């Protein structure tokens, strides 16, 4: 990863959907995991039960962790921790619900269309009807995401609020 001092390795892309790895992981090998066979993942599984995979250098989970129930978040994070090599890292993006209210007020426009507070809390309303896996079952703030990563054993942990009601959480496996 140029500029971050990381050499390319193997990244487990959890909840990959149809998306590629983020651009900053150019040169990394991707192991794709998704619960839906529609996305042709390498591993068809839930993030709460990844199964036997080779140890990975990174776990990337972009807009997927909010799709499981709150009590399942520690299970998923422990699975991420389990499959990581020592000094591997987890990179998570989730909606930032700290300043949002679950209303139909449009908060910002995205490539998928306008995003409301209801979308942040419950999933993009026009997708959830036909794609039940797109429903959101957990909401995060910077504090709750950071504490969840720490409780899972990651450290150091950093969580940043970024534009368009997003949080980025990064944790390292000691």
């Amino acid at each position: 990863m140029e500029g971050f001092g990381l050499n390319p390795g193997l990244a487990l892309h959890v909840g990959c959907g149809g998306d590629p790895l983020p651009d900053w992981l150019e040169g990394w090998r991707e192991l794709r995991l998704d619960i839906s066979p529609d996305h042709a993942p390498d591993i068809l599984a839930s993030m709460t039960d990844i199964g036997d995979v080779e140890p990975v250098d990174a776990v990337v989970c972009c807009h997927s962790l909010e799709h499981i129930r709150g009590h399942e978040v520690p299970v998923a994070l422990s699975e991420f921790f389990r499959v990581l090599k020592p000094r591997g890292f987890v990179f998570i993006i989730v909606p930032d619900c700290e300043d949002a209210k679950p209303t139909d007020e449009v908060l910002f426009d995205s490539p998928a269309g306008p995003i409301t507070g209801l979308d942040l809390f419950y999933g993009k309303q026009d997708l959830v009807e036909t794609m039940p896996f797109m429903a959101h079952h957990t909401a995060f703030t910077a504090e709750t995401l950071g504490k969840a990563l720490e409780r899972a054993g990651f450290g150091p942990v950093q969580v940043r609020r970024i534009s368009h009601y997003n949080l980025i959480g990064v944790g390292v496996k000691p």
Side-chain angles (χ1 to χ4, degrees):
M1 184 163 78
E2 205 167 294
F4 291 90
L6 294 176
N7 295 321
L10 179 62
L12 178 63
H13 191 180
V14 175
C16 59
D19 296 330
L21 282 174
D23 291 343
W24 56 267
L25 286 172
E26 183 179 344
W28 285 61
R29 291 181 299 128
E30 178 184 29
L31 184 60
R32 299 170 55 78
L33 181 142
D34 205 284
I35 197 165
S36 173
D38 296 342
H39 303 298
D42 301 309
I43 302 166
L44 182 62
S46 167
M47 69 180 82
T48 60
D49 186 11
I50 293 172
D52 293 329
V53 300
E54 64 182 292
V56 298
D57 301 288
V59 173
V60 177
C61 184
C62 298
H63 285 288
S64 296
L65 197 60
E66 66 272 16
H67 295 279
I68 61 175
R69 301 192 187 286
H71 69 276
E72 295 175 306
V73 170
V75 176
L77 293 178
S78 71
E79 282 287 274
F80 297 175
F81 191 89
R82 179 182 66 82
V83 302
L84 274 171
K85 294 177 183 175
R87 293 173 305 285
F89 69 93
V90 62
F91 177 86
I92 296 172
I93 299 177
V94 292
D96 179 1
C97 293
E98 188 166 332
D99 295 326
K101 294 182 176 124
T103 68
D104 60 3
E105 177 187 349
V106 174
L107 301 174
F108 63 94
D109 287 313
S110 80
I115 303 296
T116 68
L118 286 168
D119 296 327
L120 288 182
F121 280 88
Y122 304 112
K124 186 101 172 72
Q125 298 301 286
D126 58 343
L127 294 178
V128 170
E129 253 183 70
T130 58
M131 299 167 51
F133 289 127
M134 297 304 289
H136 292 184
H137 298 290
T138 306
F140 293 95
T141 64
E143 181 180 357
T144 61
L145 180 58
K147 284 182 179 179
L149 286 166
E150 288 170 354
R151 280 193 291 267
F154 293 99
V157 167
Q158 288 190 0
V159 178
R160 297 247 166 92
R161 299 178 81 193
I162 61 170
S163 64
H164 298 105
Y165 293 86
N166 286 296
L167 294 171
I168 293 179
V170 179
V172 177
K173 180 177 180 176

